[in-house]
Amino acid sequence: MAKTLLITGASSGIGAATAKAAAEAGWNVALCARSGDKLEALSSDIGDAALAITCDVTKRSEIAEALSKTAEHFGGVDAVYANAGTGVEKPGIENGDPDEWHDMIHVNILAVLYAAHEAIPHLKKTKGHFIVTGSKAGRHTFKGSVYSATKWFVHGFGENLAEEMREWGGRATVIAPGMVDTAFFDEPKPTKIQPEDVASAVVFALGQPKTAAVREIYIMPND
Ligand code: NJP
């Protein structure tokens, strides 16, 4: 029977590319984001292996419901990819906007915690896998970047979660890309990773035997 992956931030960029790649690799995919129309379009492209679920990840009850719907529809949840993330318009700490930080921290930190907390009961049943999108910015210093600090959290959290999940045979992976060619950064850059490159890293991590836990994948542009 096909395994099932729930993806947050599946309406565009890395999440949408991962949905396609995982479905091609034989996974069922539950697609979560706020833009229901985009999810429906992607779901009909993929076919019966996809389920679109409109969900705001900052609302704990919505991510819990998305997991339950996924388990009911496909018969279980084998993996969750907490990929939804956001940035801020105003850079820097001195000149940054605390309201923007609040919203970003809600998506990049609290919603990742909610997703893991709500996913664990499902993943325990399948000895499953939790994957989260970190960043190059979560491994290196970026002057004054609060976004980067949220991704430092994700990397620390991912390691701690991996140790907790290991106790019952589960695994956790942090995907750490450099600049990716999505709507996230609209400024032109000479080199960017393609969202499909990140998707293939996720599928690689998911495909490893249970005896191996890929804890982190760090991807940089190379053209
Ligand atoms: O960007 P984008 P990426 N509830 O803007 C969703 C990280 N990253 O694919 O709700 C639910 O195409 C939003 O959906 P919608 C980055 O930090 C990127 O590049 O419909 N979903 C959309 O599907 C992030 O963690 C780069 O608006 C919510 C998705 O998030 C991840 O990659 C480099 C939501 C964003 O897709 C995916 O970003 C790097 C909410 N409240 C890390 N808020 C890069 N692009 O260069 C947002 O190192 N979403």
Side-chain angles (χ1 to χ4, degrees), residues 8-15 32-35 38 55-58 83-86 107-108 133-137 147 151 176-185:
T8 74
S11 61
S12 61
I14 294 168
C32 302
R34 293 164 303 179
S35 309
K38 290 188 191 166
C55 168
D56 181 340
V57 292
T58 63
N83 162 71
T86 188
V107 179
N108 294 6
T133 305
S135 178
K136 174 190 175 188
Y147 169 77
K151 294 298 185 180
M179 188 86 64
V180 188
D181 192 8
T182 69
F184 197 87
F185 289 107

